[in-house]
Amino acid sequence: GAERVLVGNPADWVMRTGDPRRLTTRGASAYLKLAEGCNRSCAFCVIPELRGKQRSRAPGDIIGEALRLAQSGVKELNLVSQDTIAYGRDLPDRPTLAALVRRIADISGVRWVRLFYLYPETLDAELIELLADHPRVVPYVDMPLQHAAEAMLRRMRRGHGGARLRILVERLRTRIPQLVFRTAFIVGHPGETQAEFEELRDFLRWAQFDRVGVFVYSDEETAPASSFDGKVLPEVAQARARALLTVQRRISRQKNRALVGSELDVLVEGPSSESEWVMVGRHAGQAPEVDGCVYISGGPVFPGQIRRVRVVGATDYDLHGEVFDEQPEPPRSGEPVAALHYRSTDGRRVALRVTGGTVLG
């Protein structure tokens, strides 16, 4: 279709269902944008300056795009914006995020609905109920906390304290069975002391998050924090990032090993970047691009399928699984079909290349 020409301030623009878009995600997965812009004032961030104030899309417009994506074969919808928890607060009728999520999850063909970028504040009871009980809303919370030390959070202008974060984590863990909790932290922010970093590391050990991203602070020229005193040396910030990731790697390894022997539904994405003969997918607790994956063996699979997989191995961030269900549908014309079979030889696992169910070598 014809491309739209933007007139006026780009910060006033919000995408619409009728706008052309091309899917770049694999395996019947797509991102669905709920809003543009942000009303927060975090000290390290320039998003409000670049994107403007939050502008939520009307629920009907979002549902229209979700329907179109589902009709095209998309099975996983990843709901994103700069501040997803604040969706609808700027609209006249103040639609709620929970009501929108329920409507999206009830669309025929949609299997997984996932929420990204929830600001750490109280989630309402209806949203928690959806995360806990709705069969197509993934019990996955992506909530960047940024830090855990009270004084550091005040400098960051995050509007919440460390004690409140512990209450929040405990509440979500208690109320949402099978919760997968993803978060992110910034180290090396101006003013961060070694004691505050140690408080953050202790918090990470306590919380036992499933997924963690760690970012090293860098100045953005127009962000308030760029003018703060107490700059942290780059080598100190890098060392702190490595220390946090070391803690999280152990946690992730333990959680993955606990899954060995379990059975999971896996959305097949396609060939691995390491080899065209190794297929990869994700279970519901793995978000696209930012989390680990499941390496699939045991039979032919193709992108877009959701297959039942038994977990047979685990690494720090990834899983190995064998499909054991019957192929639910034949491959569509032109789509790659590949998997690895394994044969035991003197106690070793030897890979056999498989295409279309035929062993090639």
Side-chain angles (χ1 to χ4, degrees):
E3 295 185 1
R4 277 181 64 212
V5 178
L6 298 182
V7 178
N9 185 356
D12 294 332
W13 178 77
V14 182
M15 70 175 300
R16 298 196 299 258
T17 296
D19 292 334
R21 66 171 293 184
R22 178 175 296 175
L23 290 182
T24 58
T25 44
R26 302 196 303 166
S29 177
Y31 291 99
L32 183 58
K33 198 70 172 287
L34 305 187
E36 283 287 353
C38 181
N39 294 343
R40 310 283 180 181
S41 56
C42 303
F44 51 81
C45 185
V46 295
I47 284 178
E49 179 183 349
L50 299 177
R51 302 287 183 122
K53 294 292 186 180
Q54 175 156 319
R55 303 170 312 283
S56 300
R57 296 173 63 185
D61 189 63
I62 295 172
I63 296 301
E65 184 176 5
L67 283 166
R68 188 173 65 180
L69 290 168
Q71 290 164 0
S72 72
V74 168
K75 296 176 181 177
E76 177 188 56
L77 290 172
N78 300 288
L79 311 185
V80 296
S81 67
Q82 281 79 42
D83 184 9
T84 301
I85 198 69
Y87 170 77
R89 295 175 184 174
D90 57 306
L91 295 178
D93 51 352
R94 295 180 68 84
T96 67
L97 177 62
L100 176 68
V101 171
R102 185 181 296 278
R103 290 181 64 186
I104 293 171
D106 288 342
I107 291 174
S108 176
V110 172
R111 293 287 298 275
W112 293 348
V113 177
R114 188 189 309 276
L115 289 163
F116 281 92
Y117 314 133
L118 299 172
Y119 190 85
E121 61 182 63
T122 301
L123 275 64
D124 65 57
E126 186 182 1
L127 187 59
I128 288 178
E129 180 185 351
L130 287 173
L131 288 163
D133 299 328
H134 197 294
R136 291 178 296 281
V137 178
V138 178
Y140 182 107
V141 169
D142 174 72
M143 182 179 287
L145 301 179
Q146 309 302 7
H147 215 279
E150 189 89 24
M152 194 65 254
L153 289 166
R154 284 199 301 270
R155 291 188 207 103
M156 289 179 160
R157 300 180 184 175
R158 291 291 287 173
H160 53 267
R164 181 179 168 191
L165 292 186
R166 287 178 180 261
I167 294 171
L168 174 64
V169 171
E170 286 183 330
R171 178 171 181 251
L172 294 180
R173 290 275 189 215
T174 301
R175 299 285 298 278
I176 306 173
Q178 310 302 318
L179 174 69
V180 174
F181 200 134
R182 178 178 180 82
T183 190
F185 299 108
I186 297 173
V187 295
H189 188 282
E192 184 187 50
T193 66
Q194 183 63 28
E196 288 165 345
F197 169 72
E198 294 297 343
E199 187 176 343
L200 171 58
R201 183 156 54 175
D202 289 344
F203 176 75
L204 186 62
R205 293 191 183 106
W206 169 82
Q208 295 287 299
F209 294 110
D210 302 271
R211 316 274 185 256
V212 173
V214 178
F215 298 91
V216 175
Y217 171 86
S218 62
D219 277 333
E220 292 289 342
E221 186 176 349
T222 56
S226 65
S227 61
F228 287 3
D229 294 331
K231 300 290 186 182
V232 177
L233 293 173
E235 56 269 29
V236 172
Q238 291 287 350
R240 290 174 180 175
R242 289 193 297 271
L244 274 193
L245 288 171
T246 297
V247 172
Q248 183 57 32
R249 185 176 297 111
R250 296 191 191 104
I251 295 170
S252 178
R253 185 188 307 129
Q254 291 170 355
K255 287 179 177 286
N256 274 354
R257 286 177 177 175
L259 290 173
V260 174
S262 64
E263 298 176 1
L264 302 170
D265 288 332
V266 172
L267 177 60
V268 183
E269 289 191 311
S272 163
S273 59
E274 300 172 6
S275 170
E276 63 178 305
W277 302 114
V278 179
M279 297 292 274
V280 297
R282 293 177 290 103
H283 65 79
Q286 294 171 320
E289 303 179 295
V290 292
D291 294 336
C293 67
V294 180
Y295 292 94
I296 305 169
S297 64
V301 297
F302 71 96
Q305 283 184 325
I306 293 182
R307 301 295 298 274
R308 197 68 177 165
V309 167
R310 183 174 294 109
V311 180
V312 297
T315 64
D316 290 351
Y317 299 112
D318 302 319
L319 299 172
H320 301 154
E322 294 182 348
V323 292
F324 64 89
D325 61 343
E326 294 296 324
Q327 185 167 305
E329 54 186 313
R332 294 187 289 269
S333 176
E335 288 191 315
V337 181
L340 284 181
H341 278 300
Y342 289 102
R343 180 179 63 199
S344 179
T345 305
D346 298 328
R348 296 181 297 113
R349 287 162 65 84
V350 179
L352 303 176
R353 194 169 65 188
V354 177
T355 297
T358 302
V359 177
L360 301 180

